[in-house]
Amino acid sequence: MRKFKTESKKLLDLMINSIYTNKEIFLRELISNASDAVDKLYFKSLTDKSAAVDKDDLCIRVNFDKGARTIIVSDDGIGMTKDELDKNLGTIAHSDSQNFKTENAEQQGGDVDIIGQFGVGFYSSFMVADHVRVVSRAFGSDEAYAWESDGVEGYTIEPAERETHGTDVILSIKEGSLEEDYDQFLTEEGLTYLITHYSNYVRYPIRMLVTKQRPKPKPVGAPEDAKTEWETYKGIETINSMVPIWKRKKSDVTAEEYNEFYKSDFHDYENPARTVSFHAEGALNYDALLFIPSRAPYDMYSREYQKGLALYSSNVLIMEKCEDLVPDYFNFVRGIVDSQDLTLNISRETLQQNSQLRAIARKVEKKIKSELDSMREDDREAYEAFFENFGRSLKYGIYASRGEKADVLADLLLFYSAKMNKMVTLREYVEDMLEGQDSILYHFGVGETKERLGKSPIVKAVLDKGYDVLLCNDPIDEFCLQLMGAYDEKPMKNVATEDLNLGSEDEKADAQAVEQDNADLFSTMQKALEGKVEKVVVSTRLVDEPACLTTTGGVSLGMERVLSAAEGYEGIKSARILEINPKHPVFEVLKDAQDLGQTDKVSLYAGLLYEQSLLIEGLSVEDPFEFAKAVVSLMV
Ligand code: ADP
Ligand code: MG
């Protein structure tokens, strides 16, 4: 018996003791090796006349025998000599990369996906088999050899028989247990699934004997309309589809075909909103096929949701969800990237590969961005539907990058315009700004409807002056806008803040005069609201309403509401200001009460004005019982 090299043994141990749970990739690995072997023969045939092959004969065969518990993967490819069997299967082909994987796997407590993400090669057979026999005959040789191993200490190589060049890998499948179901691999359905799932786009046909149905020939003399009877029979079938849709010329593929592919591959029942396919050539060649879904999957905003694109290398699936290919803010994009320049094995140039992935990711991001731009321009209705589904990811992208990604994302955002009564872009808002308006105004009320937000006295006051206000009700909105800071150099401003600066100089002077003339009244109200508001002031904005609540400093009422629901931020409070409308009849009532020395009445009314302002802004009153009592006291 020949012994395995140390590092091979290490990897075998890992494999068998299964740090990696995705055992089913073994078939992908064997098929990819078979495909490589057929490739090699095919390339040889191009230069070597003696190796003439008929391209139509090239195929890979998969057989299984449930009784004998075997799976056989065969090819008539280049085959291996005795020495090659020893060299290729006795050691790990790419010992560098394998070492890397082994070490990393151990370091990370065996909980890594490295092995699963990239090729693990031939040894993955031992995840499902307790004995592997490889019978191979090299092209141009008339001797065949069998390599055999239990995947523990070593292997043997003996002379064997094989009619033609090529290789058969015969796996003796392990007995299953309650935890591990190996029997699933010993079925037609199981193998068909593995082939179509992982190796659908291998260039050569993968053939398997499967059960089929056909109409029975009608008995002689049977009546014309006799029911057709069906019978099952066994027949060889090509299981994989071979030519991937993304490799086909865009002009040859119908929208219908793309839609069907999307729905079946990404398990959606609706057609995608947009399909983007492109081919990149240069230092790195790849094809990409991307989809923007029409609706968010149910788990889109849950922690379990995983973004990513499927990554193929030379038609073989390497990773189902490669996260590095799409930024978080485009986490809704589904699709595929296929590059022949990425090798199936993680290979020596691990880092370089990552930079390759980054290059692809940059291009993918650009393509999605420009697709969304054109969708917004050409089909506003569809874009609004898109934004309804996925806008939050875009806003979150600005927030999470602390505004850095605004240059990519700001133009993709939509907000509800109180003046135009529709969703608008920031560009549209800015284009509609009044002479002299220096900031973008928004109102933030979490969870409120647009209608209710529009009725806020603060919003109405600003609208009355002719300014537009963006009505924001998504918890992320204000955080996104604040971190963006400005758009087109126009700062973002919450209309419910003190320093809105929309009043004229005259109005401000008038307000100050009123405050000075009624200093006693304001100090009574301030005392009554001690601990609740920072101050009580004369409003320069209110028209119809007696009072409203604004804030000063960085935390708005809306933010306070969002933060109070977030763990760890409960204590964060806004600094509130009660603004009183001096033109409202209530102000006269207050003044009279103060003049008559009825400070209890002033305090009671100040409390009520504060609390009704809270209610209008969708916040709850601090003490509903006190509030109710105060209202009743006015009636009796
Ligand atoms: P890799 O495919 O990445 O080189 P593997 O562990 O899958 O690594 O295979 C090791 C080597 O064994 C291959 O490089 C190849 O030379 C040889 N080999 C495996 N399967 C076959 C096959 N079916 N026909 C010919 N050679 C094979
Ligand atoms: Mg391989």
Side-chain angles (χ1 to χ4, degrees), residues 29 33-34 36-37 40 75 78-80 88-89 93-94 120-123 167 345:
E29 295 298 326
N33 285 351
D36 288 349
K40 283 179 197 158
D75 65 76
I78 194 89
M80 282 176 275
N88 296 340
L89 306 185
H94 303 300
V120 280
F122 169 77
Y123 285 177
T167 304
N345 280 305

Side-chain angles (χ1 to χ4, degrees), residues 149-165:
S149 173
D150 297 339
V152 187
E153 287 300 328
Y155 54 92
T156 58
I157 298 179
E158 306 282 345
E161 293 290 324
R162 199 179 194 278
E163 242 165 61
T164 57
H165 53 83

Side-chain angles (χ1 to χ4, degrees), residues 165-215:
H165 53 83
T167 304
D168 306 304
V169 179
I170 304 139
L171 307 180
S172 299
I173 301 299
K174 294 180 189 174
E175 289 291 340
S177 66
L178 269 184
E179 296 87 50
E180 302 287 359
D181 175 20
Y182 297 107
D183 291 4
Q184 57 174 319
F185 304 131
L186 290 167
T187 63
E188 235 174 83
E189 300 75 44
L191 291 172
T192 302
Y193 166 77
L194 293 189
I195 294 168
T196 53
H197 190 68
Y198 291 105
S199 311
N200 208 22
Y201 306 117
V202 166
R203 278 186 298 285
Y204 303 102
I206 302 168
R207 301 209 169 116
M208 192 165 88
L209 190 67
V210 293
T211 313
K212 303 205 273 192
Q213 292 225 317
R214 64 183 166 205

Side-chain angles (χ1 to χ4, degrees), residues 142-335:
D142 38 10
E143 291 171 352
Y145 288 90
W147 177 101
E148 283 194 64
S149 173
D150 297 339
V152 187
E153 287 300 328
Y155 54 92
T156 58
I157 298 179
E158 306 282 345
E161 293 290 324
R162 199 179 194 278
E163 242 165 61
T164 57
H165 53 83
T167 304
D168 306 304
V169 179
I170 304 139
L171 307 180
S172 299
I173 301 299
K174 294 180 189 174
E175 289 291 340
S177 66
L178 269 184
E179 296 87 50
E180 302 287 359
D181 175 20
Y182 297 107
D183 291 4
Q184 57 174 319
F185 304 131
L186 290 167
T187 63
E188 235 174 83
E189 300 75 44
L191 291 172
T192 302
Y193 166 77
L194 293 189
I195 294 168
T196 53
H197 190 68
Y198 291 105
S199 311
N200 208 22
Y201 306 117
V202 166
R203 278 186 298 285
Y204 303 102
I206 302 168
R207 301 209 169 116
M208 192 165 88
L209 190 67
V210 293
T211 313
K212 303 205 273 192
Q213 292 225 317
R214 64 183 166 205
K216 268 190 179 166
K218 285 191 183 142
V220 203
E224 267 295 300
D225 57 352
K227 244 174 98 199
T228 318
E229 301 225 15
W230 294 80
E231 63 180 359
T232 55
Y233 71 105
K234 294 270 187 185
I236 299 279
E237 190 98 307
T238 297
I239 310 293
N240 57 331
S241 81
M242 294 193 279
V243 182
I245 193 165
W246 59 88
K247 285 263 170 84
R248 289 166 57 192
K249 268 208 345 247
K250 217 196 279 194
S251 51
D252 290 350
V253 186
T254 63
E256 178 69 18
E257 280 178 289
Y258 278 134
N259 289 346
E260 286 313 316
F261 170 76
Y262 167 77
K263 285 188 283 192
S264 74
D265 234 56
F266 297 102
H267 311 290
D268 198 348
Y269 52 82
E270 262 177 67
N271 289 334
R274 289 279 168 137
T275 302
V276 184
S277 97
F278 66 95
H279 176 73
E281 253 168 57
L284 189 62
N285 299 296
Y286 58 93
D287 297 284
L289 177 58
L290 312 173
F291 299 98
I292 298 168
S294 293
R295 54 178 199 100
Y298 69 94
D299 61 347
M300 176 87 198
Y301 291 106
S302 76
R303 262 172 226 267
E304 286 74 48
Y305 181 77
Q306 236 196 328
K307 62 160 183 158
L309 303 178
L311 182 62
Y312 282 82
S313 162
S314 303
N315 300 354
V316 176
L317 178 66
I318 297 181
M319 217 192 279
E320 237 178 323
K321 289 210 169 169
C322 180
E323 291 190 28
D324 298 340
L325 288 175
V326 272
D328 283 344
Y329 42 86
F330 290 155
N331 61 353
F332 47 84
V333 174
R334 316 298 307 270

